[in-house]
Amino acid sequence: MTPDDLDDDIFKGGMSVFLKDAKTADGRSGILIDEDGIIAAIGFKSDRKPENEADIVVEASDMIAVPGFVNTHTHAAMSLLRGYADDMHLQEWLSEKIWPLEAHLVADDVYWGTKLACMEMIRSGTVAFNDMYFFMESAAKAVDETGMKAVLSHGFIDFGDAEKREKEIRATESLVSHIKSLNNPRIKAAVGPHAPYTVSKDALKWCAGFAEEEEILLHIHLSETEQEVKDCIEANKMRPSKLLDECGCLSERTVAAHCCWLNGEECELLGKRGVSVSHNPASNMKLAVNRAMPYKELRNSGANVTLGTDGCSSNNNLDILEEVKFAALLQKFYWNSDTILPAGEALEMITSSGAKALGFGSGKIEEGQYADIVLLDRKTPCMTPLYNPVSNIIYSAGANAVNTVICNGRILMADGYIPGEEETLRKASEIAGNLVSRSEK
Amino acid sequence: MTPDDLDDDIFKGGMSVFLKDAKTADGRSGILIDEDGIIAAIGFKSDRKPENEADIVVEASDMIAVPGFVNTHTHAAMSLLRGYADDMHLQEWLSEKIWPLEAHLVADDVYWGTKLACMEMIRSGTVAFNDMYFFMESAAKAVDETGMKAVLSHGFIDFGDAEKREKEIRATESLVSHIKSLNNPRIKAAVGPHAPYTVSKDALKWCAGFAEEEEILLHIHLSETEQEVKDCIEANKMRPSKLLDECGCLSERTVAAHCCWLNGEECELLGKRGVSVSHNPASNMKLAVNRAMPYKELRNSGANVTLGTDGCSSNNNLDILEEVKFAALLQKFYWNSDTILPAGEALEMITSSGAKALGFGSGKIEEGQYADIVLLDRKTPCMTPLYNPVSNIIYSAGANAVNTVICNGRILMADGYIPGEEETLRKASEIAGNLVSRSEK
């Protein structure tokens, strides 16, 4: 049910939108979006009245317009596992709680779990995300319906088993072919080798080759824990980044998550290959990985440093505004520097750098670009006073300052309302309850 | 202006309130609050209809009722400095930005800054806070009007100067006498010696004696940075906690903020004296203090461990739900333990332990206690699914799940609406602008 003062039609897309009096960071006022979702013009003098030209006029005089945020590493449907098990030792948590539950997942669970995740991401201003999980055709359906953008990969794990490898190859090929057949510019496929310690060298090589052939992203976990680095050195006589490089997995189409335990040489290598790195500070802190991603070295090396929330079982939410504060503060704390990762760079991580990693435009509010825009309400305590909008966004704003979210010109949330959210919350609760019943039977 | 569906009268207090179908953590449904603000009954069978007895009925079937949160260390009016200067080296930041601005503060600034802070704290479910700043009579006025509870202290700094000391003693005495004259059970005075490195031994002794005489709290910063500990050892041949103890400053009426650089012996001492400790993780991370408060040692020693946001210039918000996640995650990360500070203990920090530190009741939802209650909306993505409400509150909920806030039985926020917020935001913006103009002239 749409609130009385909102017309359900505004969420359909395909209409021109005028964000009247919305202020951009560089001080321009008003943004016009055409019916193809492209930003047609920014900044209007008072004598021009584009509200007469647009299908939808959003009164936005109290709003700051910023680029839509990008979450470069998550497992969206794990929203169903939120709060199911916390405060346990990692191995016990995985083997006694998470894996047994995941073993009972079916496609419909992933559909509703991904929808729940989309609602949550939209609420914090996220327009695009990079997802790795199972039953990804169902995830694609959820993403399509909510209007977000996503890169979707099947989590490929073979543990060196040839039969398993063949199965995973077929699952990956099938997902990529399915997503290509959707022909939806908002949804892309990726190859998702889980990690150097769960995927054999043969499989890593296949993934690299297939990603290159299909010209799609490769999404992988890299050096999250110290133990996996030690194990890799023992087994392969080289560190994980080197191993990935030897298998052809490092390129400008690679998104490597976590990257906590990289050494200087690995940072150099990732930079040289033009890899995108996804920092996941909340997950790393909650799971006590004991080292923060070497932000400065990676940035200096030329790697594209971005931000991800990881999945809900290790975070436990998908709030990118919370995550970016964790990033800016963890870097300062861990690397003992009060000036590392300043607000402007942190905003880049969740806008232009994130968009670049996933290949979704410039991540900026620019004429000719798809309109991925978040309107932040400056009439909230956390945005008052407003000396420096960027500082407030990074260090102070919460999801309750996010008023309106627009993706490819389509309004996904208006004045805090997302169509379909109520049904999604109800269904996801049911689904989660059933999943636990099945797994604990 | 009150939204159409809310009656302005519900915010006046002095009326009985029935939270119909609100669920407590232990599964009871419905809470009745009498006109004196006391919880009269919890849990109602369907045959009893207290809605016929109460002046106000809040439909709360989608709500989880938790105790109001307590913020045990802040400088509320520093909300006016939010985002004024960030990402600078600490000394430069203080001497070039923060102190020059603070030098121009007047009483009216503190009044509006505190009001802004109260709005922000209410939005994240905070009902009580422990504040140290200047012009605290103005802070008291703001607290009185918003309906929150607070302990207010004048930040006492003498730097060993006898004349300054006399001035600070008079300021402290005057504040305490003023607050006592208000005779408002929601507002208490405290003595606020700033820190062992800014207050002389003579002054510390005076503060301890005066606090004891007046039976009020003593609020102090302790061992935030490594440097101040080194300096203390060099100047006094003892660590800061020992110095405070020698001056009589450690007792069950003491709230010590930060406490990052305590050693084991100091933790023991604080526990033995029954001190309340306020953990301030976001501030500590942002200012790169390089060590997390030794939570486990303090808790094991018997100290009362609580949580505070610190002021907005080093946080930059007052969101206690964000802060408690920072606490739970920073402890795990820094102390390399995935089980330290579990969700249940984290919730205690911001409820019962916080209330104990400030002397505001039990911090629990119990019959006979003042009704300090937060209603969290379970129909939000961050609260879905709801396997474990406590886990969701600590790890996943944001301020946008906070629907209604009640302090001493008076409704401060209903369905996200706080009376007077709009005016406060407007005035605080103006005041902040004027303050900067004056200081940069």
Side-chain angles (χ1 to χ4, degrees):
Chain A
M1 212 171 60
T2 318
D4 295 343
D5 52 340
L6 288 175
D7 179 351
D8 225 348
D9 283 348
I10 69 166
F11 299 103
K12 286 183 176 163
M15 286 180 288
S16 58
V17 180
F18 181 51
L19 306 176
K20 191 181 172 190
D21 299 326
K23 305 287 178 303
T24 61
D26 59 4
R28 287 178 291 174
S29 181
I31 301 170
L32 183 65
I33 304 164
D34 70 22
E35 55 272 18
D36 297 322
I38 306 290
I39 298 175
I42 308 168
F44 291 87
K45 305 278 183 225
S46 51
D47 57 338
R48 196 172 150 211
K49 295 209 171 4
E51 54 258 53
N52 301 333
E53 301 164 25
D55 299 321
I56 301 168
V57 176
V58 177
E59 295 288 341
S61 57
D62 292 326
M63 301 291 159
I64 297 161
V66 293
F69 306 135
V70 181
N71 182 348
T72 58
H73 178 62
T74 189
H75 312 288
M78 290 186 95
S79 61
L80 295 177
L81 280 66
R82 188 200 316 277
Y84 175 63
D86 297 289
D87 303 317
M88 296 173 70
H89 291 302
L90 180 66
Q91 277 313 315
E92 199 183 316
W93 173 73
L94 284 171
S95 59
E96 291 178 18
K97 291 285 186 173
I98 303 303
W99 292 338
L101 203 72
E102 284 187 331
H104 287 84
L105 277 175
V106 297
D108 198 43
D109 298 341
V110 170
Y111 170 73
W112 286 108
T114 306
K115 272 209 136 170
L116 171 61
C118 288
M119 300 295 144
E120 193 183 359
M121 286 192 272
I122 292 168
R123 288 218 158 271
S124 71
T126 304
V127 297
F129 63 103
N130 188 27
D131 198 26
M132 179 198 290
Y133 211 52
F134 317 110
F135 302 107
M136 297 307 283
E137 285 85 352
S138 301
K141 186 164 176 269
V143 174
D144 181 36
E145 290 171 8
T146 58
M148 292 184 76
K149 301 182 190 183
V151 177
L152 306 176
S153 54
H154 168 78
F156 187 124
I157 297 181
D158 73 344
F159 287 121
D161 177 314
E163 201 179 321
K164 231 175 147 21
R165 178 156 59 250
E166 276 312 308
K167 233 176 113 185
E168 295 291 63
I169 287 175
R170 282 194 302 274
T172 300
E173 288 173 337
S174 155
L175 175 69
V176 172
S177 139
H178 172 76
I179 288 184
K180 293 212 159 169
S181 77
L182 297 177
N183 202 18
N184 182 339
R186 288 188 288 104
I187 306 179
K188 300 181 188 191
V191 180
H194 174 267
Y197 66 97
T198 51
V199 184
S200 65
K201 273 165 116 173
D202 284 348
L204 286 170
K205 283 177 192 165
W206 180 85
C207 287
F210 187 65
E212 196 178 349
E213 214 175 283
E214 296 281 336
E215 297 181 329
I216 57 180
L217 295 190
L218 185 148
H219 182 189
I220 193 164
H221 298 85
L222 176 59
S223 300
E224 180 177 2
T225 65
E226 188 175 19
Q227 192 58 47
E228 69 190 75
V229 176
K230 286 183 177 165
D231 293 347
C232 181
I233 293 171
E234 198 176 308
N236 304 290
K237 313 285 170 248
M238 65 183 85
R239 296 180 70 91
S241 304
K242 186 90 177 85
L243 177 74
L244 288 187
D245 198 41
E246 289 208 356
C247 296
C249 286
L250 299 185
S251 81
E252 288 182 2
R253 285 177 291 86
T254 304
V255 180
H258 298 294
C259 295
C260 307
W261 286 89
L262 301 182
N263 70 9
E265 215 174 300
E266 287 177 290
C267 292
E268 280 303 317
L269 176 61
L270 266 58
K272 214 161 105 182
R273 297 285 182 260
V275 166
S276 290
V277 166
S278 181
H279 187 20
N280 311 130
S283 169
N284 299 156
M285 289 174 72
K286 183 155 185 267
L287 299 180
V289 306
N290 211 22
R291 189 172 192 258
M293 184 196 77
Y295 170 76
K296 208 168 186 174
E297 277 179 276
L298 281 163
R299 186 177 160 97
N300 289 346
S301 79
N304 180 42
V305 185
T306 70
L307 191 73
T309 56
D310 206 353
C312 271
S313 64
S314 59
N315 184 315
N316 300 351
N317 67 32
L318 305 173
D319 182 337
I320 198 84
L321 281 172
E322 181 184 280
E323 194 73 25
V324 77
K325 182 168 178 176
F326 267 99
L329 268 54
L330 177 61
Q331 287 296 326
K332 290 171 179 59
F333 181 79
Y334 185 80
W335 297 105
N336 197 17
S337 159
D338 40 19
T339 56
I340 194 176
L341 191 42
E345 291 178 22
L347 187 59
E348 275 174 25
M349 284 173 77
I350 59 171
T351 57
S352 53
S353 303
K356 182 181 170 193
L358 306 193
F360 285 132
S362 71
K364 294 178 186 172
I365 298 179
E366 293 176 319
E367 288 172 18
Q369 285 284 324
Y370 270 116
D372 292 341
I373 297 174
V374 174
L375 298 182
L376 294 167
D377 188 350
R378 55 179 290 174
K379 285 206 170 167
T380 46
C382 62
M383 293 294 281
T384 305
L386 193 68
Y387 300 116
N388 179 344
V390 176
S391 165
N392 282 7
I393 294 165
I394 300 304
Y395 293 122
S396 158
N400 55 7
V402 177
N403 180 283
T404 294
V405 178
I406 295 168
C407 179
N408 274 17
R410 177 176 162 192
I411 298 174
L412 307 189
M413 177 166 92
D415 205 13
Y417 172 78
I418 308 175
E421 185 179 43
E422 209 172 316
E423 186 199 9
T424 299
L425 296 180
R426 189 168 40 75
K427 285 293 292 183
S429 289
E430 264 176 51
I431 288 274
N434 294 341
L435 177 61
V436 171
S437 304
R438 286 201 304 281
S439 91
E440 292 182 352
K441 207 177 272 176
Chain B
M1 211 172 59
T2 319
D4 295 342
D5 52 341
L6 288 176
D7 178 352
D8 225 349
D9 283 347
I10 69 168
F11 299 102
K12 286 184 177 163
M15 286 180 288
S16 58
V17 180
F18 181 51
L19 306 176
K20 193 181 172 189
D21 298 327
K23 305 287 179 303
T24 61
D26 60 4
R28 287 179 290 173
S29 180
I31 300 170
L32 183 65
I33 305 164
D34 71 21
E35 56 272 19
D36 297 322
I38 305 291
I39 298 176
I42 309 167
F44 292 86
K45 305 277 183 226
S46 52
D47 56 340
R48 194 170 152 212
K49 296 209 173 2
E51 53 258 55
N52 301 333
E53 301 165 25
D55 299 321
I56 302 169
V57 176
V58 178
E59 294 288 342
S61 57
D62 292 327
M63 301 291 159
I64 296 161
V66 293
F69 305 136
V70 182
N71 182 348
T72 58
H73 178 63
T74 190
H75 312 287
M78 290 185 93
S79 61
L80 295 178
L81 279 66
R82 187 199 317 277
Y84 175 62
D86 297 289
D87 303 318
M88 296 174 68
H89 290 302
L90 181 66
Q91 277 313 316
E92 200 183 316
W93 174 73
L94 283 171
S95 60
E96 291 178 18
K97 290 286 186 172
I98 303 303
W99 292 337
L101 203 71
E102 284 187 329
H104 288 83
L105 277 175
V106 297
D108 198 44
D109 298 341
V110 170
Y111 169 74
W112 286 107
T114 306
K115 272 210 137 171
L116 172 61
C118 288
M119 300 294 143
E120 194 183 359
M121 286 192 270
I122 292 168
R123 288 218 157 270
S124 72
T126 304
V127 297
F129 62 102
N130 189 26
D131 197 25
M132 179 199 290
Y133 211 52
F134 316 110
F135 302 108
M136 296 306 282
E137 285 85 353
S138 302
K141 185 164 176 268
V143 173
D144 180 36
E145 289 171 8
T146 58
M148 292 185 77
K149 301 182 190 185
V151 176
L152 306 176
S153 54
H154 168 79
F156 186 125
I157 297 180
D158 72 345
F159 286 120
D161 177 313
E163 200 179 322
K164 233 176 146 22
R165 178 156 60 248
E166 278 311 309
K167 231 177 116 184
E168 295 291 61
I169 287 175
R170 282 194 301 274
T172 300
E173 287 173 336
S174 153
L175 175 68
V176 172
S177 138
H178 172 76
I179 288 184
K180 293 212 159 169
S181 77
L182 297 177
N183 202 18
N184 182 339
R186 290 189 288 103
I187 306 179
K188 300 182 189 192
V191 179
H194 173 266
Y197 66 94
T198 50
V199 183
S200 64
K201 274 166 119 173
D202 284 348
L204 287 170
K205 284 178 193 166
W206 180 85
C207 288
F210 187 65
E212 197 178 349
E213 214 175 284
E214 297 281 336
E215 296 181 328
I216 57 179
L217 296 189
L218 186 149
H219 182 189
I220 192 164
H221 298 86
L222 175 59
S223 299
E224 179 177 4
T225 67
E226 187 175 20
Q227 193 57 48
E228 70 190 74
V229 176
K230 285 184 179 164
D231 293 347
C232 180
I233 294 171
E234 198 178 307
N236 304 290
K237 313 285 170 248
M238 65 183 85
R239 296 179 71 90
S241 304
K242 185 91 178 83
L243 177 74
L244 288 187
D245 197 40
E246 287 207 356
C247 297
C249 287
L250 300 184
S251 81
E252 289 182 0
R253 286 176 292 88
T254 304
V255 179
H258 299 294
C259 295
C260 308
W261 286 89
L262 301 182
N263 70 8
E265 214 174 302
E266 288 177 289
C267 292
E268 281 302 319
L269 177 61
L270 266 57
K272 214 163 103 183
R273 297 285 183 259
V275 166
S276 289
V277 166
S278 181
H279 187 20
N280 311 129
S283 169
N284 298 156
M285 290 173 72
K286 185 156 186 266
L287 299 180
V289 306
N290 211 22
R291 188 173 194 256
M293 184 196 77
Y295 169 75
K296 209 169 185 174
E297 278 179 277
L298 281 164
R299 186 178 161 97
N300 288 346
S301 78
N304 180 42
V305 185
T306 70
L307 191 74
T309 56
D310 207 352
C312 271
S313 63
S314 59
N315 183 318
N316 300 355
N317 68 32
L318 305 173
D319 182 337
I320 198 83
L321 281 172
E322 181 184 281
E323 193 74 25
V324 77
K325 182 167 179 177
F326 268 99
L329 269 54
L330 177 61
Q331 287 296 325
K332 290 171 179 59
F333 181 79
Y334 184 80
W335 297 104
N336 197 19
S337 159
D338 40 19
T339 55
I340 193 175
L341 190 43
E345 291 178 21
L347 187 58
E348 275 173 25
M349 284 173 77
I350 59 171
T351 57
S352 52
S353 303
K356 183 182 170 191
L358 306 193
F360 285 130
S362 71
K364 294 178 184 171
I365 298 179
E366 292 175 320
E367 289 172 17
Q369 286 284 326
Y370 269 117
D372 291 341
I373 297 174
V374 173
L375 298 182
L376 294 167
D377 189 350
R378 54 178 291 173
K379 284 205 169 168
T380 46
C382 63
M383 293 293 280
T384 304
L386 192 69
Y387 300 115
N388 179 344
V390 176
S391 165
N392 282 8
I393 294 166
I394 299 304
Y395 293 122
S396 156
N400 56 6
V402 177
N403 180 282
T404 293
V405 177
I406 295 169
C407 179
N408 275 15
R410 176 175 163 192
I411 299 175
L412 307 189
M413 178 166 91
D415 205 13
Y417 172 77
I418 307 175
E421 186 179 43
E422 210 173 316
E423 186 200 8
T424 299
L425 296 179
R426 189 169 39 73
K427 284 293 292 184
S429 289
E430 264 177 50
I431 287 274
N434 294 341
L435 177 61
V436 171
S437 303
R438 286 202 304 280
S439 93
E440 291 182 351
K441 207 177 273 173

